[in-house]
Amino acid sequence: MTSLSAVALPFILEAAKKQAEELGAEQGPADEIASTALAVSYPLAQLGNFFIFLFMHFCLYYFRVEVTRLNTWLLLPMTLLSGFGSPSSTVNAIPFLSAWLRVPEAANILWLETMTVTRYGMVVLSVAGFGFITYCSTLHYFGKLRFHKKRALAFLLVTAGFLGLFSWSMSRLEEGSSGLSRTHFKDLSLASELTANLPVSMEKQSPPGPDRDLPPMERIRKSGVLRVGYSTMILPFAYFNKDGDLVGFDVAFAYSLARALGVRLAFVPADLKHLEDDLASDRYDILMSGIAINGQRLRNGVYSDGYYSNRLVLVVPQNKRAGSLTVKRLLQNKDLKLGAVRGSVLWDMTRSIFPNATLVEMKNFDELVSRPELDGMLWAWDQAFAWTDGHPGFSAVRPDGLHGVLLYGWVMPSNTQILDDFVDHWLALKKADGFYETQVQTWFEGRPPKTKQRRWSILQNLLR
C-alpha cells in the first residue's frame, strides 16, 4: 500500500510547481516550496489511514464488544493520533486500538485480510489528501490563494457533526447487536475426516478396564480404550448440537487424541462438582471439557499445559444493560444479585470480584433464563458468546475495571506423568500443524472451514 500511494508523489510535485510558475512564481522557489509542502503533507494528510475509525466501529459491532459511551467518543481523537504517518502505521494502530477497546486479537488479522479490498480506496483518499495540502500550501505561500475563515470553519463544523452523528449511530447499532450471530453453534458438527472409522461409544458409567494398578498409559494401550470425561455445561468446549451429537472444541481434540494413541474412544459423563472424587476413583483417563485451572484442582490432579485462555465478562439481560457499566458502579450497587454454579471456579471468582453482591446458586448456566431476579452471571468470553448466540435476550458485556482470565487445561489423575507428557507434546504438534487454529476458528469464532468442492469442468461434467 505504501508503494501505491508513493507512485503519485512525482506527479503531485510537478503539478504544484507548474501551477505556481504559471501564476508568476519563480521556478527555483516554486520547486523548493512544493517539495517541502509534499514532504510534510505526505505523513500528516494520509486520509486513507483513517479508515481504521470505520473499521474499529465495525469490530465493535462484529465482535459484540461492549464499550462505554466515553470510549465511543474518544475513539475519534484516538484514531486521529494513531493514523498519522505512512500507510503502514495502520498495521500498528489496529492492535493498539484493539487492546484499548478490548476487541479480540482476531481483529488484527481481519484488518490485514480486508486490506486486499479496502487499500485501493485508502490509496485514492490518501493521494487526494496530501495532494490537496501540497497544492494549496504552495499556492498560498506565493499569495495566489485566499483563505476563507468562515467557509473553513463551516466545513470543519459540518465534518465534526457528521463524524459525531456517525459515532452516535454506531454506538446505538452496537448496543443492539448482541442478538446477532454469525454462525449458530447448535448447527456446528465435527469434521467428517475427524470422526471417520474411529470407534466411539457414549457410556453412562465408566467402562471396566484392566488392572487399576497399571500406569494409565499402559492401561489405555492394554484395554485399547481412551476414557474421556465430559460435561455438557461447558459450551462450546463440549455440548450436544441440534442433531444430538456430542461436539465442541475439546470433543474434537478427544477424537484426535484417540487417533494419536491408536485406540477407540469412550465418552464418560462427568460431574464437575465431584471432580476430585472422580479423579480419585479412576472414573476416566482424562477430563476434556473446558476445565479452568485453579490451585485446588492442581493439588488433586495433573493438568496438561494450558491450551487456551479466556477473559472474563458478565452475561446480563438486555433490559438491565448500561452503556457506562463499570465494576466500580456494580460494587456500589448493594442490591446486586449474581448467579453462579456452586463449586465452580466462577463461583469463587464472582465472590472475590463482587464481595458485596448476593451470590445465588444455579444448577447450570441455562437457569439464568428462568431467574429474572438475577442481574447476571460472571462467565468466560467464548463460552458467553456461544451461549448468547442461542439466547438473544442476553448480552455478554465487559465492564470497565473487570480484569482476570481463565486458563484451561485437560485434567488427569495424579499418577499419570507419562500420559501427561504425551498429551503436552501431542498438543504442541496440534498447534504446529494448524489443527489447533482450525478448531479455534470453528468453535470459538463460529467460522468452520468451508467444504472444498471440485471445480466444474467440461471434461469432468460433460464429456466423461
Side-chain angles (χ1 to χ4, degrees):
M1 179 176 163
T2 304
S3 59
L4 288 177
S5 60
V7 170
L9 294 179
F11 299 100
I12 293 174
L13 181 61
E14 186 63 29
K17 291 190 299 182
K18 183 177 181 180
Q19 184 64 31
E21 292 169 2
E22 289 179 354
L23 294 176
E26 296 182 8
Q27 181 177 2
D31 189 0
E32 183 178 349
I33 296 303
S35 299
T36 303
L38 182 57
V40 174
S41 63
Y42 180 75
L44 297 181
Q46 291 273 358
L47 299 183
N49 287 7
F50 303 113
F51 266 50
I52 58 178
F53 176 70
L54 305 177
F55 178 78
M56 291 311 301
H57 273 292
F58 169 75
C59 287
L60 295 176
Y61 171 81
Y62 182 74
F63 292 107
R64 299 192 292 182
V65 177
E66 180 83 3
V67 294
T68 64
R69 289 191 178 91
L70 176 61
N71 284 350
T72 300
W73 291 105
L74 285 177
L75 179 58
L76 178 56
M78 293 290 283
T79 301
L80 291 174
L81 294 174
S82 304
F84 289 125
S86 66
S88 60
S89 64
T90 61
V91 178
N92 295 322
I94 295 298
F96 167 73
L97 294 173
S98 297
W100 170 54
L101 295 174
R102 302 191 184 97
V103 172
E105 294 182 359
N108 306 334
I109 300 176
L110 183 61
W111 170 253
L112 296 176
E113 291 176 343
T114 56
M115 281 183 67
T116 57
V117 177
T118 60
R119 63 174 179 172
Y120 299 107
M122 295 171 64
V123 167
V124 170
L125 193 58
S126 291
V127 170
F130 60 73
F132 176 79
I133 296 299
T134 301
Y135 191 80
C136 292
S137 298
T138 304
L139 296 183
H140 181 70
Y141 179 84
F142 292 105
K144 305 302 181 181
L145 191 69
R146 289 188 300 171
F147 182 72
H148 296 274
K149 295 182 179 179
K150 291 184 178 180
R151 293 182 182 178
L153 180 60
F155 172 77
L156 292 176
L157 290 176
V158 170
T159 302
F162 170 77
L163 293 175
L165 180 62
F166 175 82
S167 295
W168 177 83
S169 301
M170 287 303 299
S171 67
R172 299 296 296 176
L173 182 61
E174 289 149 15
E175 288 180 9
S177 67
S178 58
L180 302 177
S181 61
R182 290 162 289 167
T183 298
H184 288 290
F185 285 83
K186 286 291 185 178
D187 295 334
L188 296 176
S189 59
L190 297 170
S192 58
E193 60 268 20
L194 195 62
T195 60
N197 302 319
L198 180 66
V200 179
S201 61
M202 301 295 296
E203 307 290 344
K204 293 183 178 180
Q205 296 181 349
S206 179
D211 191 348
R212 287 183 55 183
D213 294 333
L214 290 175
M217 180 63 88
E218 185 176 342
R219 187 169 66 241
I220 293 170
R221 289 172 176 168
K222 185 175 181 179
S223 65
V225 179
L226 173 66
R227 300 172 300 161
V228 174
Y230 73 93
S231 171
T232 55
M233 290 174 53
I234 318 296
L235 186 151
F237 291 90
Y239 65 98
F240 289 104
N241 64 10
K242 66 178 183 180
D243 298 321
D245 299 326
L246 183 64
V247 299
F249 182 84
D250 278 3
V251 175
F253 273 89
Y255 275 83
S256 181
L257 178 58
R259 286 189 180 280
L261 291 170
V263 297
R264 71 180 182 89
L265 183 59
F267 285 107
V268 183
D271 185 350
L272 301 186
K273 293 182 180 179
H274 303 98
L275 173 59
E276 289 76 15
D277 294 336
D278 286 349
L279 290 172
S281 63
D282 192 42
R283 182 173 173 80
Y284 35 72
D285 301 309
I286 182 171
L287 177 60
M288 305 176 71
S289 197
I291 306 302
I293 301 174
N294 66 2
Q296 181 179 356
R297 290 176 176 175
L298 283 172
R299 292 193 297 269
N300 292 282
V302 175
Y303 271 91
S304 68
D305 289 342
Y307 63 87
Y308 196 75
S309 61
N310 223 335
R311 55 196 175 121
L312 293 176
V313 296
L314 276 176
V315 176
V316 297
Q318 288 186 351
N319 61 355
K320 295 185 178 182
R321 293 176 62 188
S324 57
L325 197 64
T326 65
V327 171
K328 183 178 180 180
R329 289 191 178 185
L330 290 172
L331 290 173
Q332 293 172 350
N333 184 0
K334 297 181 180 179
D335 298 325
L336 184 66
K337 292 184 179 180
L338 298 175
V341 177
R342 186 182 291 274
S344 68
V345 173
L346 291 171
W347 176 276
D348 296 329
M349 297 187 77
T350 303
R351 186 167 51 188
S352 174
I353 297 173
F354 302 102
N356 298 326
T358 300
L359 194 53
V360 180
E361 181 178 359
M362 299 190 306
K363 295 180 181 179
N364 53 61
F365 299 108
D366 288 339
E367 195 174 330
L368 181 64
V369 178
S370 59
R371 302 290 293 271
E373 74 277 11
L374 294 179
D375 296 301
M377 62 182 178
L378 193 67
W379 213 353
W381 161 249
D382 286 309
Q383 293 166 267
F385 177 81
W387 188 85
T388 55
D389 178 82
H391 299 81
F394 294 84
S395 303
V397 300
R398 185 172 173 84
D400 277 0
L402 181 59
H403 304 294
V405 296
L406 294 180
L407 180 64
Y408 297 92
W410 296 311
V411 194
M412 292 156 278
S414 56
N415 60 339
T416 56
Q417 189 60 50
I418 296 178
L419 177 60
D420 179 49
D421 290 342
F422 179 90
V423 169
D424 288 342
H425 287 90
W426 165 79
L427 177 59
L429 289 174
K430 294 292 98 179
K431 289 185 175 181
D433 66 12
F435 179 83
Y436 177 88
E437 182 61 29
T438 299
Q439 303 311 313
V440 168
Q441 293 175 357
T442 300
W443 305 105
F444 296 143
E445 300 175 8
R447 297 188 292 121
K450 295 181 179 180
T451 303
K452 294 183 178 180
Q453 298 180 350
R454 179 180 296 178
R455 293 178 58 186
W456 187 93
S457 69
I458 296 177
L459 289 176
Q460 293 291 335
N461 296 83
L462 296 179
L463 301 181
R464 67 176 180 177

